[in-house]
Amino acid sequence: MMKMKYVLLLLLGMILFPFATLAGQPDDAAALEGVERGKVVFDINNSSASSLNLYLAVIRETHDDLVRQGVEPDILLAFRGPAVTLVSTDRERLDLTDFDALDQIADHIADLEMLGVRMEGCGVATRLFQVDNQTLLDGIEPVGNTFVSLIGYQARGYAVIPIY
């Protein structure tokens, strides 16, 4: 009888645990009040493959958090500076120890593209860092100058979040 009581308590705990964690999960309701569309440009300018890999995972989570909270994501990633070297299929100049992170970056880029996230690579940066625009990962469109893009998107109401 005592063993049965513990089994029932265990089962009850397993049933109620998901509800307890949902109840305690923070949300962004105050910030998102009245927001129907989340317009954001992530200004990505870093040179660390592991850092970019982490940020892309968080950007994916941000997309999912917006959806979960009833906000339509309108997200653009603007790669500039040394970041263009990390989103190219040409890995000649990169360290072999970064290849796993670069593979994960490519996977994140593909997943984000499937979710409708738009991505662009700065033509000024590809010229300065000698990255052929044709080697940018699928889904990343070359543009003339991401500074110009950032001006345009900000003028159209997009939040700009720097990733350095």
Side-chain angles (χ1 to χ4, degrees), residues 43-48 51 55 80 147 150 160-164:
D43 173 21
I44 302 173
N45 179 22
N46 65 12
S47 60
S48 165
S51 174
Y55 276 117
R80 65 180 181 88
F147 284 169
L150 293 171
V160 176
I161 298 176
I163 306 291
Y164 304 146

Side-chain angles (χ1 to χ4, degrees), residues 4-82:
M4 180 66 131
K5 197 185 276 187
Y6 287 121
V7 169
L8 287 174
L9 283 173
L10 179 64
L11 286 174
L12 183 62
M14 290 172 59
I15 292 169
L16 294 178
F17 179 75
F19 296 106
T21 57
L22 283 177
Q25 182 178 3
D27 65 26
D28 307 295
L32 295 175
E33 186 175 336
V35 176
E36 295 178 12
R37 194 163 152 217
K39 297 167 60 171
V40 61
V41 176
F42 289 95
D43 173 21
I44 302 173
N45 179 22
N46 65 12
S47 60
S48 165
S50 60
S51 174
L52 179 57
N53 183 40
L54 174 64
Y55 276 117
L56 290 173
V58 173
I59 289 168
R60 168 62 192 264
E61 187 174 338
T62 301
H63 174 280
D64 295 348
D65 285 344
L66 287 169
V67 170
R68 177 178 52 81
Q69 295 176 91
V71 175
E72 178 189 349
D74 185 353
I75 299 173
L76 180 111
L77 308 182
F79 295 96
R80 65 180 181 88

Side-chain angles (χ1 to χ4, degrees), residues 6 24 29 57 95 102 131 155:
Y6 287 121
D95 193 351
L102 293 168
V131 172

Side-chain angles (χ1 to χ4, degrees), residues 37-41 74-76 118 120 143 146-160:
R37 194 163 152 217
K39 297 167 60 171
V40 61
V41 176
D74 185 353
I75 299 173
L76 180 111
R118 294 168 294 134
E120 60 184 40
V143 298
T146 53
F147 284 169
V148 173
S149 293
L150 293 171
I151 292 166
Y153 284 110
Q154 196 164 18
R156 292 177 21 209
Y158 284 74
V160 176

